[in-house]
Amino acid sequence: PGSCLEQPCESNCACGEVARTYLASPRGINTDLLKVTSPSHHSPVAQPDQIAFVNQVAALNRILDDNVHLAVWRQTNAPKFVTALSDPSIEPENLPAFEGMVLPGMVAAEMKKYLWVPYQLRSHELRKRALDEEGIDELVHHIEQLVEVFADISQQAGFVSNDNDGGQLPFVYVKLQVIGDDSCKYWHQDSVPFRMITTYRGPCTEWVPPALSKETLERRQFDSEHVQSLSHCDVALFKGRGDADADLLYDQTGIVHRSPRTEGSGIYRLVLVLDIPRGWHFDD
């Protein structure tokens, strides 16, 4: 698979390397792209039976319904730390980042070890923390909540088990990633059963209604007049195409989506992805 954020997408994915490496920022930054967004009241949902908007995080298990392609927990407001992260003066190396397999009950301990200690080690003169200690606590608590829900839904789907007698523990692959280019800029479906995504900084993931999947994939490199965008109030579970053969590209369920196009804007996004652990997560 490619190295894009929504990996693996397709075997011929043209996405570039976007691990924690940073492209040179232009002098000008398009600060409009850092605005904290709320859901658009004008966003049509053409197929409400296939797109489930919920107001409780546990209700994201609607993704397990056969006909649901996308489940979105629409929070009343974006988390407070999201506003702090929208500061355009924050350098990308000072944004929080994390990647690893985590048990639901160990999220706080594991993540704080990586998110807080590096800040303490930097010189006071050189560092400008993206978040203070309270902000990091809020971020970690938010991710902890999502990991618990994601693990529970994964168990409901039969992908993991809490059974210690040879069963797989409910590890969750957590990736909090800083992205400085267009990442997965082409329309695609993820090659996973489902994936949780939320954006904490910068423009959010774009998607199209399921009825338009085929025509959008056939013009995967082009914009779509039917594009919808998540907001910073949204946590989304995207149904993927599983392990379906790439030759069956147009005949699979799974929400068609892409990363927003930001290259050249000077903007660094911060995106959280939760996955069911799979073999490629262990590749170097």
Side-chain angles (χ1 to χ4, degrees), residues 1 14 35 58-59 63 76 105 140 190 192 206 212 220 235 238 273:
K35 290 180 178 177
I63 199 66
T76 304
V140 170
D190 291 328
V192 295
E206 299 173 345
L212 302 166
R220 60 194 297 268
V235 174
F238 291 70
V273 173

Side-chain angles (χ1 to χ4, degrees), residues 124-226:
H124 289 274
E125 291 76 19
L126 294 178
R127 79 186 187 211
K128 174 178 172 51
R129 287 185 246 156
L131 295 173
D132 59 16
E133 187 168 6
E134 181 181 353
I136 290 176
D137 284 345
E138 186 185 1
L139 169 66
V140 170
H141 175 73
H142 195 258
I143 295 174
E144 184 176 40
Q145 180 184 26
L146 299 183
V147 168
E148 290 175 356
V149 169
F150 186 84
D152 183 62
I153 294 173
S154 298
Q155 287 179 283
Q156 291 179 48
F159 291 111
V160 296
S161 171
N162 261 333
D163 182 4
N164 288 322
D165 296 325
Q168 182 183 0
L169 290 172
F171 280 96
V172 174
Y173 175 75
V174 179
K175 191 168 191 176
L176 180 65
Q177 186 175 20
V178 180
I179 304 171
D181 65 6
D182 284 346
S183 186
C184 286
K185 63 183 179 181
Y186 297 140
W187 296 107
H188 66 280
Q189 296 164 311
D190 291 328
S191 295
V192 295
F194 51 79
R195 167 174 286 154
M196 185 177 285
I197 299 176
T198 190
T199 301
Y200 292 138
R201 186 180 198 259
C204 302
T205 304
E206 299 173 345
W207 57 277
V208 295
L212 302 166
S213 294
K214 182 176 181 179
E215 68 177 71
T216 304
L217 288 172
E218 288 174 340
R219 295 170 50 83
R220 60 194 297 268
Q221 71 270 37
F222 298 109
D223 292 337
S224 169
E225 63 179 314
H226 306 289

Side-chain angles (χ1 to χ4, degrees), residues 11 72 95 105 109 118-119 160 182 224 230 237 254 259:
S11 58
V72 181
L95 289 167
Y119 285 142
V160 296
D182 284 346
S224 169
L230 296 173
L237 261 179
S259 299

Side-chain angles (χ1 to χ4, degrees), residues 228-240:
Q228 304 285 304
S229 179
L230 296 173
S231 78
H232 294 107
C233 296
D234 296 332
V235 174
L237 261 179
F238 291 70
K239 185 166 286 181

Side-chain angles (χ1 to χ4, degrees), residues 66-99:
D66 289 340
N67 60 310
V68 173
H69 291 237
L70 175 66
V72 181
W73 173 36
R74 200 143 258 190
Q75 303 164 94
T76 304
N77 299 296
K80 188 166 62 175
F81 65 83
V82 170
T83 299
L85 290 170
S86 67
D87 182 349
S89 69
I90 297 172
E91 295 294 333
E93 62 268 19
N94 289 325
L95 289 167
F98 176 87
E99 182 176 4

